[in-house]
């Protein structure tokens, strides 16, 4: 067990505090140099003098310090460390010459760092901070292992790698055409753009594209490269369910002849894509440990169980449990919210959503390809958009979490809580007792909202929405920016709240595991009209019926894992896939 002290440099504002960390630190008060002022004006915490009391963690007004113990991990296994009180990564995955290797783990545990080191764009310092890292030192350290050969090839400039970075929205800052962008990797844009379904968009300019289209351009750029190792950091972000599945097939095909490494939080996708998976465990922004590779089915089952037997590591207190969806229980048969047919006409798009009813205690998912009107429908019910015909139900209290989040106030979550404590439509007790621990908001209560990461802001916004008692919760893409663990926690909290309050929820999302855990039924949206300029929404349908309608649109079949009951995508053309298609059972539910 090693004690580590982490200073989150972006949260530390040493000119705006009283250096409470240093003032209250017991060893400092005893005259020891446990916390000193570093060359950048920020504290440096000595891991050898620290007694682990945690006082500085609580005293810091910006939640910028973490003191924790790592499991019994050998310091010699550190691959990279960002500064003295910075994040450290233990061990690396090494993908074989062919096939798809997945990495699955929480946000901030070093997945992108591992990808950059393997791609040769980040030189690992092996945890040694007195000299800059070098490839030759890395070769020395890993001599006798396959990683040494990998680093040797990087050092000699012989390893051709292609990396799709995590943050694709940055591409919009470059005024290039799609074709010019893809050609930057040295390959022909045509086939790569066709593979991701963007063949007609070669001449469009990057700043005009949506997030999903930028993601597809980034994937096409990586595919177009002629490389030995292809690395994809979160390829599903911004993509709808149709494009996720299309990309999964493309990457599988690439893995037949090349080495592919993928970081992915959508478990249905990862399960389909990867042959083997390394689990990553650790503590956000503090440390991450890469596990040995496991075959994909056992990796995902292990992950859901929360316990990695081989390494005796528990990364969650409770397992995630799926259930086959039984017929609607009688209490849900009681209608809680009903809405009439609603339509909306924009100059270039028309939406029609059929009348529907939401049962008491029911959470209903909204699924379908992008640009079919899901967000417009949610906005109409939220009162943020006026329908062209039809009226949203009156007398229904609504709590709404929009798709795009922007922190407009510089306040922290704690300050928001204080301001809302007098608001009768905010349940402070629920927020503090269940939502803060359930969505792991404890460590970020004092951080200004604009300083939160995408995932932190998403969790904060969902918690604020769920803390308002309502007849109808409307959550638009709550899984965006969340890691797999956070998605499962969100699904559980949402479901529990809606059942307990006997209210209803509508949740638009693309993650099948999240939807399967959270929802009792689905509304299904599809494009209509020859130019895709119309959208139709129908339902709610029972889960199996809704999934069947969705999956028939995209010709994909799912089965359930016999041990965990989690849904699994069938391999295209496999015996099960053919048999289920023939029966029209796209989403197989075993008999309850
Ligand atoms: P993941 O991909 O699992 O979310 P990352 O590899 O992006 O994790 O980052 C892990 C941690 O390393 C981050 O939480 C951050 O604290 C730290 N980190 C990442 N990049 C840098 C950097 N360039 N300088 C300092 N710290 C960094
Ligand atoms: P989804 O949520 O399924 O991706 P949206 O409801 O966001 O779909 O959008 C459906 C269509 O409506 C898109 O083609 C979009 O361009 C169009 N649209 C959405 N909002 C507006 C608006 N305020 N003005 C004009 N067109 C809009
Ligand atoms: Fe000092 Fe360590 Fe206690 Fe922080 S946790 S106050 S650094 S002894």
């Amino acid at each position: 067990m090693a004690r580590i002290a982490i200073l989150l440099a972006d949260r530390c504002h040493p000119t705006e505090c009283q250096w409470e960390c240093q003032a209250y630190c017991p060893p400092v008060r005893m005259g020891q140099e446990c916390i000193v002022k570093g060359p950048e004006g920020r504290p440096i915490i000595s891991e050898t003098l620290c007694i682990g009391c945690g006082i500085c963690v609580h005293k810091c007004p910006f939640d910028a310090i973490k003191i924790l113990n790592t499991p019994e991990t050998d310091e010699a296994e550190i691959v990279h460390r960002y500064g003295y009180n910075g994040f450290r990564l233990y061990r690396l995955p090494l993908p074989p010459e062919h096939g798809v290797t997945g990495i699955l783990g929480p946000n901030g545990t070093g997945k992108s760092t591992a990808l950059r080191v393997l791609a040769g764009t980040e030189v690992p310092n092996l945890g040694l901070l007195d000299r800059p890292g070098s490839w030759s030192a890395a070769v020395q350290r890993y001599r006798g292992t396959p990683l040494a050969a990998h680093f040797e090839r990087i050092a000699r400039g012989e390893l051709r790698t292609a990396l799709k970075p995590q943050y694709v929205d940055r591409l919009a800052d470059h005024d290039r055409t799609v074709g010019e962008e893809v050609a930057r990797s040295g390959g022909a844009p045509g086939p790569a753009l066709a593979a991701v379904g963007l063949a007609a968009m070669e001449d469009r300019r990057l700043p005009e594209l949506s997030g999903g289209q930028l993601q597809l351009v980034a994937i096409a750029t990586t595919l177009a490269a002629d490389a030995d190792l292809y690395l994809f950091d979160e390829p599903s972000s911004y993509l709808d369910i149709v494009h996720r599945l299309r990309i999964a097939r493309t990457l599988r095909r690439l893995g037949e002849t090349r080495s592919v490494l993928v970081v992915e939080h959508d478990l249905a996708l990862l399960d389909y894509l990867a042959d083997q998976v390394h689990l990553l465990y650790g503590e956000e922004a503090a440390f991450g440990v890469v596990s040995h590779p496991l075959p994909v089915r056992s990796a995902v089952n292990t992950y859901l169980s929360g316990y990695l037997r081989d390494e005796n590591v528990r990364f969650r207190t409770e397992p995630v449990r799926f259930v086959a969806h039984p017929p609607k229980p009688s209490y849900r048969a009681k209608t809680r919210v009903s809405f009439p047919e609603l339509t909306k006409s924009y100059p270039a798009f028309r939406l029609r959503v059929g009348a529907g009813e939401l049962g008491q205690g029911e959470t209903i998912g909204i699924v379908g390809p992008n640009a079919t009107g899901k967000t417009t429908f949610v906005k109409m019910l939220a009162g943020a958009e006026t329908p062209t015909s039809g009226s949203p139900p009156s007398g229904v209290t609504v709590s709404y979490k929009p798709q795009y989040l922007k922190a407009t106030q510089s306040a922290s979550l704690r300050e928001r809580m204080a301001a809302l404590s007098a608001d009768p439509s905010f349940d402070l007790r629920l927020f503090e007792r269940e939502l803060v621990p359930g969505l792991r908001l404890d460590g970020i209560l004092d951080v200004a909202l604009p300083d939160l990461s995408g995932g932190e802001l998403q969790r904060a916004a969902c918690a604020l929405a769920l803390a308002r008692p309502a007849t109808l919760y409307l959550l638009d893409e709550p899984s965006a920016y969340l890691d797999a663990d956070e998605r499962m926690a969100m699904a559980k909290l949402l479901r529990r709240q809606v059942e307990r309050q006997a209210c209803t929820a509508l949740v638009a999302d693309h993650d099948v595991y999240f939807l399967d855990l959270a929802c009792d039924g689905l509304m299904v949206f599809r494009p209509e009209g020859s130019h895709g300029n119309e959208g139709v929404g129908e339902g709610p349908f029972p889960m199996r019926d809704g999934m069947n309608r969705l999956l028939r649109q995209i010709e994909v079949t799912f089965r359930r894992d016999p041990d965990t009951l989690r849904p699994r995508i069938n391999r295209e053309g496999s015996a099960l896939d053919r048999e289920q298609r023939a029966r029209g059972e796209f989403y197989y539910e075993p008999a309850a």
Side-chain angles (χ1 to χ4, degrees), residues 72-386:
E72 290 175 56
T73 310
D74 190 348
E75 293 297 292
E77 290 190 301
I78 295 183
V79 174
H80 193 63
R81 178 170 174 171
Y82 292 110
Y84 182 74
N85 290 132
F87 174 86
R88 53 212 85 175
L89 174 68
Y90 296 81
R91 305 191 211 142
L92 268 185
L94 184 65
E97 272 182 35
H98 302 302
V100 182
T101 300
I103 303 184
L104 172 59
N107 279 336
T109 52
K111 299 180 297 299
S112 302
T113 303
L115 254 55
R116 289 198 299 270
V117 170
L118 287 170
T121 56
E122 176 104 47
V123 185
N125 58 21
L126 311 172
L128 308 170
L129 301 174
D130 51 346
R131 67 200 101 133
S134 73
W135 294 112
S136 54
V139 171
Q140 280 294 336
R141 162 75 74 85
Y142 293 100
R143 188 157 296 288
T145 74
L147 267 175
H150 182 86
F151 290 144
E152 236 163 61
R153 288 179 73 194
I154 292 178
R156 288 205 223 103
E158 288 172 6
L159 187 78
R160 297 167 309 160
T161 59
L163 170 66
K164 187 212 74 74
Q166 184 180 3
Y167 300 106
V168 294
D169 32 2
R170 292 180 190 158
L171 280 179
D173 298 338
H174 302 283
D175 191 18
R176 292 194 274 265
T177 67
V178 167
E180 284 164 358
E181 176 63 25
V182 177
R184 281 162 54 84
S185 65
L193 285 171
V196 299
L198 286 187
M201 297 191 68
E202 198 166 335
D203 297 324
R204 290 278 294 277
R205 305 199 80 79
L206 298 178
E208 296 165 10
L209 304 186
S210 69
Q213 290 165 333
L214 290 172
Q215 180 69 270
L216 294 172
V217 171
I219 293 172
T221 306
T222 313
L223 289 172
D226 185 14
D228 307 302
L229 174 61
Y230 293 81
L231 307 107
F232 294 88
D233 201 347
E234 299 192 24
S236 80
S237 317
Y238 303 107
L239 295 188
D240 64 33
I241 211 155
V242 180
H243 283 99
R244 286 182 190 201
L245 293 164
R246 183 201 288 254
I247 292 307
R249 281 182 186 157
T250 307
L251 299 194
R252 270 211 73 76
R253 236 168 272 141
L254 181 67
E256 287 168 12
T257 53
R258 304 297 175 95
S259 180
V260 181
L261 193 61
V262 182
V263 170
E264 183 50 62
H265 296 300
D266 181 324
L267 290 179
L269 209 64
L270 183 76
D271 181 59
Y272 173 73
L273 256 178
D275 301 301
Q276 57 166 11
V277 171
H278 292 267
L279 300 177
L280 215 83
Y281 55 89
E283 183 70 33
E284 182 171 7
F287 73 98
V289 185
V290 179
S291 82
H292 301 296
L294 295 165
V296 66
R297 174 171 179 264
S298 107
V300 177
N301 287 358
T302 300
Y303 181 76
L304 294 172
S305 79
Y307 178 60
L308 179 58
R309 192 181 305 272
D310 295 359
E311 302 182 27
N312 191 21
V313 176
R314 182 164 292 286
F315 36 82
R316 201 177 324 100
T317 47
E318 280 179 40
V320 175
R321 289 202 176 86
F322 287 82
V323 289
H325 288 278
K328 201 168 178 165
S330 56
Y331 74 94
R332 292 222 168 94
K334 193 165 163 213
T335 300
R336 191 79 170 85
V337 173
S338 55
F339 54 88
E341 179 175 283
L342 297 172
T343 70
K344 179 78 194 175
S345 298
Y346 291 122
F349 182 77
R350 276 165 44 109
L351 170 67
R352 179 170 54 80
V353 186
E357 293 181 347
L358 309 174
Q360 178 168 289
E362 240 177 18
T363 298
I364 301 294
I366 302 180
V367 292
N370 278 344
T372 52
K374 300 183 298 300
T375 291
T376 304
F377 171 61
V378 171
K379 281 186 180 167
M380 290 195 291
L381 290 180
E385 194 70 82
T386 314

